[in-house]
């Protein structure tokens, strides 16, 4: 079987994804917790991403078959590494023998990686001088390869680091499972084909990759915070995985202010999850949430983390977003929210990280702090932005400000337009209900 045929076979198996699904039932938590560590351990032996992932899947299948009979080992990760290593060696020997028979020459590949530091490149003292000894971070840094697009980085980290199945990753992107399997396969091939794919990154490249990793973790959390489609408002599993990765990043780089800001932001946002939907699964807006359902301990921890980060070095986007979340999280009631402070923070964020979504949030905050008329003035140019107009959020904010301004008929039309632009069923129900309520005399 040629290298191309083996790649095609892996892609076919990945598109089906049955082995992880079957094995994850008795050991899903172990897979989620140790997937990056086990995969990184194998990558130290060979640079074949696909072969290593196949070996890890085989180890998980063996765990699913043996652990119920023999009991879970004291060190599940070590067990998985040992079994996966054997599977990898067996596969390499089989492949080498097959290729010798088929081509009459040895295709044994020398290991691409030497030692733990070379596994995915060592960020070393990339931020604060602390050595990074976390395989999860190393795997995330590899998946944040500069030759990949942002969307592909997200998909690969969710698959290889967070341990989501190909089907779960495909659902996040609203694409067929086979399409996502092909995308992930191409990403691995891109990494393998790049110049010195597993060499330690330069200082500049390491900083860029860390920034990409933080961005990917945030995107994953955002995807779980409000599911893009379907009946569920929140994808709790995806949120927890993103939060787990943020925790590990923070442990690896405890003095990096932006990593601390990311963790604080996710902690505070996740702390409000229980109040974001009612018993019927319908969306509950922030100002109407039962704040007794919030996890106030998590909010307090997030506030402490961001307050500590803000006094250490330059202030970055994640720190500012965490500070905004802290203002909401510390307000006893919606009426107690310090909207003027939120406006100041959004303006600071807009200066250092300009983006249409930041402008949109600023306009909404201005409407709350200075009145609906001022908010509508700030929002007006954003309604002409083609990218924003294709989505639902700008129309939902427009509708809310119109309703606050007493322009109920226009608000009804804007709510209906917003509802037509989202695939999330809970959001559709909420926006349609607001449209009906605003149409009432």
């Amino acid at each position: 079987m040629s290298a191309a045929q083996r790649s095609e076979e892996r892609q076919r198996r990945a598109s089906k994804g049955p082995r992880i699904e079957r094995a994850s039932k008795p050991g899903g938590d172990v897979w989620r917790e140790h997937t990056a560590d086990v995969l990184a351990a194998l990558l130290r032996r060979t640079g074949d991403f696909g072969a290593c992932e196949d070996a890890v899947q085989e180890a998980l299948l063996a765990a699913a078959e043996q652990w119920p009979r023999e009991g879970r080992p004291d060190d599940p990760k070590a067990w998985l590494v040992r079994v996966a290593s054997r599977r990898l060696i067996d596969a390499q020997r089989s492949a080498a023998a097959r290729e010798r028979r088929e081509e009459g020459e040895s295709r044994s590949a020398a290991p691409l990686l030497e030692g733990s530091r070379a596994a995915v490149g060592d960020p070393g003292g990339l931020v604060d001088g602390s050595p990074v000894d976390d395989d999860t971070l190393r795997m995330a840094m590899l998946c944040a390869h500069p030759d990949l697009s942002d969307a592909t980085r997200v998909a690969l980290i969710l698959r290889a680091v967070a341990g989501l199945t190909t089907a779960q990753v495909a659902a996040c992107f609203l694409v067929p499972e086979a399409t996502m399997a092909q995308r992930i396969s191409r990403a691995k091939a891109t990494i393998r084909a790049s110049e010195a794919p597993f060499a330690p990154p330069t200082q500049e490249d390491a900083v860029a990759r860390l920034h990409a990793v933080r961005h990917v973790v945030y995107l994953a959390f955002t995807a779980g915070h409000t599911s893009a489609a379907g009946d569920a408002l929140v994808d709790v599993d995806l949120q927890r995985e993103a939060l787990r990765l943020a925790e590990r990043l923070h442990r690896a780089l405890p003095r990096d202010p932006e990593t601390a800001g990311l963790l604080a932001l996710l902690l505070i946002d996740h702390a409000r999850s229980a109040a974001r939907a009612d018993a019927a699964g319908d969306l509950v807006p922030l100002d109407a949430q039962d704040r007794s359902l919030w996890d106030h301990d998590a909010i307090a921890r997030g506030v402490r983390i961001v307050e500590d980060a803000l006094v250490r070095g330059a202030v970055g986007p994640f720190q500012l977003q965490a500070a905004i979340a802290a203002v909401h999280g510390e307000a006893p009631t919606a009426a107690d929210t310090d909207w003027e402070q939120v406006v100041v923070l959004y303006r600071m964020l807009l200066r250092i990280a300009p983006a249409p979504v930041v402008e949109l949030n600023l306009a909404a905050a201005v409407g709350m702090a200075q009145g609906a008329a001022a908010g509508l003035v700030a929002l007006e140019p954003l309604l002409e932005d083609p990218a924003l107009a294709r989505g639902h959020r700008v129309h939902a904010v427009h509708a809310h400000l119109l309703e606050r301004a007493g322009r109920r008929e226009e608000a009804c039309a804007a709510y209906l337009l917003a509802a037509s632009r989202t695939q999330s069923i809970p959001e559709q129900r909420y926006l349609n209900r607001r449209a009906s309520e605003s149409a009432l005399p």
Side-chain angles (χ1 to χ4, degrees):
M1 183 183 291
S2 67
Q5 289 172 321
R6 289 198 303 276
S7 176
E8 183 178 335
E9 173 63 14
R10 285 197 197 104
Q11 181 176 308
R12 183 189 65 79
R13 291 201 301 265
S15 69
K16 294 182 178 180
R19 288 187 292 173
I20 288 180
E21 293 288 1
R22 282 161 42 204
S24 64
K25 292 180 180 178
D29 291 341
V30 173
W31 169 255
R32 291 279 180 89
E33 182 179 355
H34 297 307
T35 178
D37 297 337
V38 178
L39 189 53
L42 266 63
L43 277 170
R44 297 187 186 115
R45 296 170 171 80
T46 175
D48 191 332
F49 207 133
C52 291
E53 192 172 41
D54 282 350
V56 174
Q57 292 182 30
E58 293 286 354
L60 188 65
L61 181 59
E65 295 172 346
Q66 294 180 35
W67 292 359
R69 297 193 311 266
E70 303 171 8
R72 180 171 295 189
D74 293 335
D75 189 342
K77 184 176 79 171
W79 191 98
L80 289 170
V81 169
R82 185 170 62 254
V83 173
S85 298
R86 292 171 182 166
R87 297 293 194 275
L88 179 62
I89 292 170
D90 290 345
Q92 289 174 327
R93 288 172 176 169
S94 176
R98 181 171 54 247
E99 288 176 352
R100 282 195 299 269
R101 289 194 304 268
E102 291 177 350
E103 302 177 23
E105 63 182 37
S106 173
R107 295 292 186 182
S108 299
L112 292 176
L113 308 179
E114 293 290 342
S116 62
R117 289 295 184 193
V120 193
D122 177 20
L126 88 138
V127 175
D128 58 14
S130 301
V132 174
D133 292 314
D134 190 304
D135 276 334
T136 291
L137 176 56
R138 292 196 184 104
M139 283 302 305
M141 294 282 278
L142 171 60
C143 295
H145 196 279
D147 289 347
L148 302 178
S149 68
D150 281 348
T152 302
R153 289 169 173 171
V154 174
L156 193 55
I157 287 181
L158 291 178
R159 182 69 184 87
V161 181
L164 273 65
T165 65
T166 304
Q168 289 172 316
V169 179
C172 293
F173 285 81
L174 304 179
V175 299
E177 187 177 349
T179 299
M180 181 53 64
Q182 293 171 354
R183 187 177 302 176
I184 291 172
S185 179
R186 286 195 298 268
K188 295 173 186 175
T190 297
I191 293 174
R192 287 196 300 270
S194 65
E195 184 177 355
F198 301 105
T202 63
Q203 182 77 4
E204 182 180 353
D205 184 33
V207 171
R209 289 199 192 195
L210 177 60
H211 174 74
V213 170
R214 284 192 299 252
H215 182 60
V216 164
V217 172
Y218 175 70
L219 290 177
F221 182 86
T222 301
H225 187 68
T226 303
S227 298
D231 294 327
L233 177 67
V234 179
D235 187 333
V236 177
D237 286 343
L238 192 52
Q239 275 195 314
R240 287 174 179 165
E241 286 307 308
L243 188 55
R244 182 181 68 84
L245 291 176
E247 291 273 16
R248 292 190 69 160
L249 282 173
H250 182 55
R251 285 199 300 272
L253 298 167
R255 294 192 296 277
D256 174 36
E258 268 294 82
T259 299
L262 171 65
L263 176 58
L265 173 61
L266 269 54
L267 281 169
I268 297 171
D269 280 354
H270 187 60
R272 302 197 296 258
S273 295
R276 293 187 59 240
D278 61 19
D282 288 341
L283 182 150
V284 179
L286 180 62
D287 60 356
Q289 288 177 12
D290 179 356
R291 300 190 177 209
S292 68
L293 298 176
W294 290 2
D295 184 343
H296 293 282
D297 289 340
I299 291 173
R301 182 186 172 215
V303 170
R304 288 194 302 272
I305 291 173
V306 70
E307 285 179 345
D308 180 62
L310 286 169
V311 299
R312 288 189 281 111
V315 175
F318 284 122
Q319 295 166 73
L320 288 173
Q321 291 179 76
I324 293 167
V327 173
H328 291 294
E330 291 189 305
T333 67
D336 294 319
T337 304
D338 188 345
W339 284 106
E340 289 291 356
Q341 185 179 358
V342 172
V343 169
V344 170
L345 290 168
Y346 269 125
R347 283 179 174 153
M348 293 173 64
L349 180 60
L350 190 61
R351 282 199 297 272
I352 67 172
V357 69
V358 178
E359 292 185 75
L360 177 59
N361 290 333
L362 174 59
V366 167
M368 297 300 296
Q370 301 170 18
L376 286 168
V377 170
L379 185 69
E380 186 174 356
L382 301 179
L383 292 168
E384 305 300 322
D385 185 302
L388 285 177
R390 283 195 297 270
H392 74 284
R393 291 197 61 207
V394 67
H395 303 296
V397 172
H398 189 210
H400 177 66
L401 292 173
L402 288 169
E403 187 175 17
R404 283 174 53 82
R407 297 159 60 177
R408 300 173 67 85
E409 186 174 339
E410 294 172 85
C412 176
Y415 276 128
L416 290 174
L417 179 58
S420 71
R421 298 292 171 88
T422 178
Q423 298 182 61
S424 168
I425 293 174
E427 285 188 326
Q428 288 176 3
R429 289 200 299 260
Y430 168 75
L431 292 166
N432 283 322
R433 185 173 69 249
R434 292 298 294 266
S436 299
E437 292 169 353
S438 63
L440 294 174

